[in-house]
Amino acid sequence: MTATVVGMQGQQPQVEIGKANPEGAKYRKLWDQSAYRAVSPGEQHLSQILAKMPITSQSQVIDFGCGTGRAALKLFHQRDCDVTLVDFARNCLDPEVKAAITEHPTRLKFRQHDLETPFPFSVGYGICTDVMEHIPTDKVPVVLENILHAANHVWFQISTEPDHFGSLIDAPLHLTVQPYRWWLEQFAKFDCTIHYAQPFPGYSVFYVSAWSSVEEIMAKGRTNITSEVKREQITHNIAQGWQTVEPCQVQDDEVMIVGGGWSLNDQLDTIRRLRADGKKLITLNNAYQWCLDHGLTPSATIVMDGREFNARFTKPVVDGCKYLICSQVHPSVLEGLPKDRTFLWNDADPTNFDLLTAQYGEGNYFCIPGGSTSFLRAIPLLRMLGYHKFHVFGVDSCLSPDQTQHHAYPQPENDHKWIFPVTVNQGRVFYCQPWMFCQAREFHRMINEFGHLFELEVYGDGLLRHLLETAAAMPPTLLSEGGS
């Protein structure tokens, strides 16, 4: 099982395939001219392209501005790879290319699409030959952004001289005639890695990527409070005399872990049924309020985040619920909680062990390892408390399929975040915010290392469930840094 991660900065709009563009009419006229079909730069230079691009039978490729389609067809035959041909003029394809698409509909596809519009899909490789010089100069940035975000690595071949075929329709074709250095500066604006670049007489080539490794992105991630604030909050909270969690004997009670993901609203009946059957109900963050709103009283709730707005996640206080609160939270999260039903737990950050030792004494406290989210700490926390059979709801690690929901309820703190698509197992696409993808990566590692210690069923149709169902691998591949 393999997975590819690709990305885009900002919310992706709904794409109008074949969006009206005044340039489109020009090229629909041109493709009726046999003289314009005579030359296919991509076809002519495919051997040069393949000498640099490691395209295999497992690769997926987009031919941006495919024109006649001959380059894409030749690539398909030589590498046996999946190719999507993209152009805004539907009459551009040669007859033999149309026939090949009909013969191989799952591996060779044509999509009418305007390059000025973001792509609703992403792949590993792209080729863009004899296209960028046709783009109006003021549109070059948006077209480059769309192309660079739609493919991890892209080969550009760009003419640097005026066109020869505009006379066929009495209109200029090359609208951006610029030298090699100018185009190099455009790629620099996107922080592209330049795999290969070379000027030639009349044209230039650039093999580039606007992407960074997932590990680099994760390394750049920041905690949502500073280490100084974290220490201050831990120091204050552990001095207030709260009870602390301690290891318990293994028990067979089944537990529902309820997060706030978008799929939660579809699982209400199942949650109610399991609750009626006696399953314990553990909520994460604002899923606490969601359950209360739906007439469900949690057995316990877990809060880990250190920011002040999390105070609303423990209000109102209800009878019968225990409050399992990380010691790093803002003190307002703990205000008003009952002393007899509130328990502090500590994360396993060794830089703060001195604070815990000073308060509790050497070896007199227990720390919870795990990942960067409350869900990834909830499993080891509950496992320490003796539970090992979990039903997981509302932990999707992705947005809803239409990309409109990150939670089952309004949570403005997660609005307007960077969103990127994650393609798993050569086809299934999930749209994620960075924290969601990091959670999925960490979840995958946790299952591989500690999955034998608990039983887990994930509900819904999100990324985490898909990973479990298909045994997909989370990749150390590529994630866009955005950059525009």
Side-chain angles (χ1 to χ4, degrees), residues 386-406:
Y387 302 104
H388 65 100
K389 297 180 180 180
F390 303 116
H391 300 266
V392 178
F393 297 90
V395 184
D396 304 303
S397 266
C398 64
L399 276 73
S400 58
D402 62 4
Q403 304 171 51
T404 62
Q405 291 181 283
H406 44 71

Side-chain angles (χ1 to χ4, degrees), residues 302-362:
I302 297 172
V303 179
M304 173 184 173
D305 193 304
R307 291 170 291 183
E308 186 173 2
F309 73 80
N310 287 273
R312 72 178 190 266
F313 296 168
T314 55
K315 311 297 185 297
V317 176
V318 296
D319 293 338
C321 179
K322 292 183 173 64
Y323 298 87
L324 308 178
I325 311 298
C326 184
S327 61
Q328 70 182 15
V329 301
H330 190 275
S332 60
V333 174
L334 290 157
E335 288 177 1
L337 297 186
K339 287 281 188 176
D340 63 326
R341 291 184 283 119
T342 301
F343 299 81
L344 288 189
W345 56 274
N346 306 290
D347 77 2
D349 180 356
T351 63
N352 296 311
F353 285 177
D354 62 316
L355 302 178
L356 304 179
T357 298
Q359 177 65 35
Y360 302 117
E362 187 72 38

Side-chain angles (χ1 to χ4, degrees), residues 39-71:
V39 178
S40 172
E43 181 186 27
Q44 291 179 331
H45 294 90
L46 188 62
S47 59
Q48 181 187 18
I49 296 172
L50 294 180
K52 299 292 184 181
M53 300 183 78
I55 296 173
T56 70
S57 60
Q58 301 300 312
S59 300
Q60 295 178 322
V61 185
I62 297 176
D63 185 351
F64 299 98
C66 64
T68 64
R70 294 201 297 270

Side-chain angles (χ1 to χ4, degrees), residues 234-242 344 359-360:
I234 291 174
T235 300
H236 173 84
N237 292 332
I238 63 178
Q240 304 310 306
W242 299 102
L344 288 189
Q359 177 65 35
Y360 302 117

